[in-house]
Amino acid sequence: MSNANPAAQQLPDVHVQAEVLVQALPHMQRYDQQVVVIKYGGHAMGDRAAAEDFAEDVVLLEQSGIKPIVVHGGGPQIGKMLDKLGIKSEFRAGLRVTDEATVEVVEMVLAGSINKQIVGWIGAEGGKAVGLCGKDGNMVTARKVTRTAVDPDSNIEKVVDLGFVGEPESVNRAVLDQVLSAELIPVLAPVAVGRDGQTYNVNADTFAGAIAGAMMAKRLLLLTDVPGVLDKNKNLIPDMTIDDCRRLIADGTITDGMIPKIETCIYALERGVEAVVILDGKVPHAVLLELFTDHGAGTMIRRG
């Protein structure tokens, strides 16, 4: 019948939507008034549609009674700005050497343009976000990172000076507690100050792990460019314990850039975070899939 009621034709769709909401209810109840720390980075940040999906997810979490905290990276954007300014950047032991000129650019890009862009995206979806970095309210105090690498010529292990690259030494949660109690969404840039007053560039995963640990977060979500932790056959491992992580690092299954991510997971779990999830940030609404459905969207790691 051509003159059928259009609303009636849409009913099956409406019922599906209602069913989806009902299925999400127990998950929403589980996370009610709980802190969830989300590390947002990688290529998902460069894609406008993915960024808008992410902002929608964060606003929906806050509206459903969860307390999201966003920590973002920005390596590719820092690289582009350094190139634009003609500042040469070198890598040692897999980390960017951050001299005085570089750390100024890092702070400008991370705590400036990227941070406010994410705040703007969340605002455009109806959320209220506040952009901060580790310096604000002495939130994160950093210490200089020390790394060693084996010299290929002499085969001797030497200390690698990475300049102003830091790691979290302590976290003061006072500012975050105030922001969350005002029902605002903190968006944090991983820049911190040392006891020496020097500005330090902190790895975003490490920064997120320290924040999650200090806030006793229910979940730490690390959004990456891969589906999660993969076994030797490149299949996703859905669930792991800390012991599994250490075993898979020892036998060479977990390698390269995944090792520091896993070390961050272990650090956060040992400080009271209930579970950490490594998931693909390029999947549309990956955060909602992980938190509000039975399917999950990556590798979940628990203490044991």
Side-chain angles (χ1 to χ4, degrees):
M1 264 168 55
S2 58
N3 63 347
N5 182 346
Q9 290 175 338
Q10 292 172 10
L11 271 180
D13 224 0
V14 175
H15 287 146
V16 169
Q17 289 175 4
E19 188 60 34
V20 167
L21 289 171
V22 168
Q23 287 175 6
L25 180 61
H27 300 283
M28 289 178 173
Q29 289 168 331
R30 180 192 304 158
Y31 296 110
D32 187 44
Q33 298 305 306
Q34 299 288 329
V35 171
V36 173
V37 177
I38 308 163
K39 185 269 175 168
Y40 177 53
H43 296 299
M45 287 179 66
D47 182 291
R48 182 63 193 259
E52 288 170 353
D53 281 352
F54 174 77
E56 285 175 346
D57 288 5
V58 171
V59 173
L60 185 57
L61 295 189
E62 201 277 327
Q63 289 292 316
S64 62
I66 297 172
K67 299 177 178 179
I69 298 174
V70 177
V71 176
H72 64 83
Q77 292 91 331
I78 291 167
K80 279 182 195 163
M81 184 58 78
L82 289 170
D83 289 345
K84 198 182 281 188
L85 296 173
I87 298 170
K88 291 279 183 285
S89 189
E90 65 170 309
F91 286 80
R92 294 184 203 147
L95 290 168
R96 188 193 301 275
V97 177
T98 307
D99 58 16
E100 203 143 350
T102 305
V103 82
E104 280 186 29
V105 174
V106 166
E107 185 166 20
M108 178 174 75
V109 173
L110 286 179
S113 57
I114 294 177
N115 187 269
K116 297 306 175 245
Q117 193 174 44
I118 297 169
V119 167
W121 284 331
I122 291 171
E125 300 302 337
K128 295 189 182 75
V130 176
L132 300 164
C133 76
K135 288 181 168 184
D136 292 304
N138 293 331
M139 187 193 306
V140 178
T141 305
R143 59 173 169 251
K144 187 179 170 77
V145 161
T146 53
R147 288 283 185 274
T148 58
V150 176
D151 180 40
D153 299 325
S154 62
N155 220 22
I156 296 170
E157 195 168 36
K158 295 183 175 177
V159 174
V160 178
D161 188 354
L162 296 166
F164 301 117
V165 175
E167 59 191 6
E169 184 175 47
S170 62
V171 177
N172 177 348
R173 53 182 285 174
V175 171
L176 288 174
D177 283 335
Q178 289 288 328
V179 170
L180 292 173
S181 68
E183 297 186 355
L184 300 167
I185 300 166
V187 177
L188 309 182
V191 176
V193 72
R195 295 189 191 281
D196 53 4
Q198 178 60 52
T199 298
Y200 287 98
N201 175 20
V202 181
N203 174 277
D205 289 335
T206 311
F207 193 97
I211 294 291
M215 299 303 293
M216 300 288 285
K218 182 89 168 172
R219 287 285 183 276
L220 167 61
L221 307 183
L222 298 178
L223 270 58
T224 65
D225 298 333
V226 294
V229 182
L230 306 179
D231 64 18
K232 283 213 158 79
N233 298 318
K234 302 298 179 202
N235 296 316
L236 179 70
I237 304 171
D239 295 286
M240 297 173 69
T241 64
I242 290 177
D243 287 346
D244 293 334
C245 292
R246 292 188 169 130
R247 181 170 48 77
L248 293 179
I249 289 173
D251 74 10
T253 302
I254 294 172
T255 57
D256 303 328
M258 189 55 79
I259 293 176
K261 282 192 194 306
I262 294 293
E263 286 171 346
T264 289
C265 296
I266 293 171
Y267 171 95
L269 291 167
E270 288 178 340
R271 273 153 190 77
V273 175
E274 187 185 275
V276 184
V277 185
I278 299 174
L279 64 161
D280 189 347
K282 301 192 300 297
V283 173
H285 299 295
V287 172
L288 295 187
L289 286 172
E290 175 54 43
L291 294 179
F292 287 167
T293 74
D294 296 330
H295 304 292
T299 300
M300 179 177 285
I301 305 168
R302 297 179 186 270
R303 282 190 284 276

